[in-house]
Amino acid sequence: MREPRERDACAQHQLPTLQGNAVITEPIERRGDAQLSAGRGEAGFRACHVSTVHEAFDTRIHLKECRSLCELGLDVHLVINHTADEEVNGVKIHHLKRSQSRLRRILLNTVSAFAKAIRTRAQVFHLHDPELIPLGLALKLMRKKVIFDIHELV
C-alpha cells in the first residue's frame, strides 16, 4: 500500500485510462514518459468534447478542459460551432454550422454533431449541452464512455 503524503504534487494532474467499464485516473508521476507520450496517435487515448451551443474558444471547454488534456498528451477532438475544421493548440476542432433557430440547432446540429463525434473514434465523449442527452444515450448503447457536464443554463 502506498504511504500517504502531505501533498501530492501531481494530484491535480491525473491521466485517465480505461479499465473495464470505468475510467481510472493515476497521478502522472506513477506513469512513465513512454506511456504519457503514447497518449497521442492512433493507438493512444482519444477524447472528444461536443457542444452545439458554445463557441470554439469557450474558456471552460477549449482553454481549461481540452487544452489541459492536450498538455497531458491525449489526442483531443472538439465538435463545436466554428467556421472550419482546424487544429489549435493541439485541439482538433470539427466545425458545426451555427443555427439561427434553437429548434434547428436541437434537431439538425445534434445529428451532425453525433456523426462528427463518432468519426473521431474517441474512447471518451464529453458532452456539454442538454440537447445532447439523446446523443449520450446513443453513445452508451454503442458501449462508449460518456461524460455529461452541463455548466450553465442554456
Side-chain angles (χ1 to χ4, degrees), residues 27-80:
I28 292 174
E29 67 182 5
R30 295 189 61 199
R31 302 177 67 107
D33 286 341
Q35 279 183 299
L36 187 59
S37 63
R40 291 221 180 264
E42 292 302 312
F45 190 89
R46 187 173 295 151
C48 179
H49 286 255
V50 183
S51 176
T52 56
V53 175
H54 299 89
E55 295 299 325
F57 301 106
D58 178 78
T59 302
R60 180 169 177 170
I61 297 172
H62 185 266
L63 296 177
K64 293 183 180 178
E65 295 180 7
C66 292
R67 283 188 54 195
S68 295
L69 292 173
C70 271
E71 289 170 6
L72 291 175
L74 277 69
D75 186 12
V76 180
H77 295 258
L78 176 60
V79 178
I80 200 159

Side-chain angles (χ1 to χ4, degrees), residues 56-135:
F57 301 106
D58 178 78
T59 302
R60 180 169 177 170
I61 297 172
H62 185 266
L63 296 177
K64 293 183 180 178
E65 295 180 7
C66 292
R67 283 188 54 195
S68 295
L69 292 173
C70 271
E71 289 170 6
L72 291 175
L74 277 69
D75 186 12
V76 180
H77 295 258
L78 176 60
V79 178
I80 200 159
N81 293 318
H82 196 50
T83 55
D85 291 351
E86 65 178 316
E87 184 170 334
V88 178
N89 297 318
V91 178
K92 293 161 192 77
I93 299 173
H94 305 271
H95 83 285
L96 296 172
K97 290 183 180 177
R98 176 162 282 295
S99 293
Q100 298 302 319
S101 75
R102 186 177 180 139
L103 181 62
R104 192 176 190 94
R105 182 188 78 217
I106 290 170
L107 296 177
L108 299 179
N109 274 16
T110 300
V111 172
S112 179
F114 179 75
K116 289 182 182 214
I118 288 297
R119 280 189 290 240
T120 67
R121 298 175 50 213
Q123 287 97 344
V124 173
F125 294 86
H126 191 144
L127 312 179
H128 294 274
D129 310 317
E131 64 249 24
L132 297 177
I133 291 173
L135 185 147

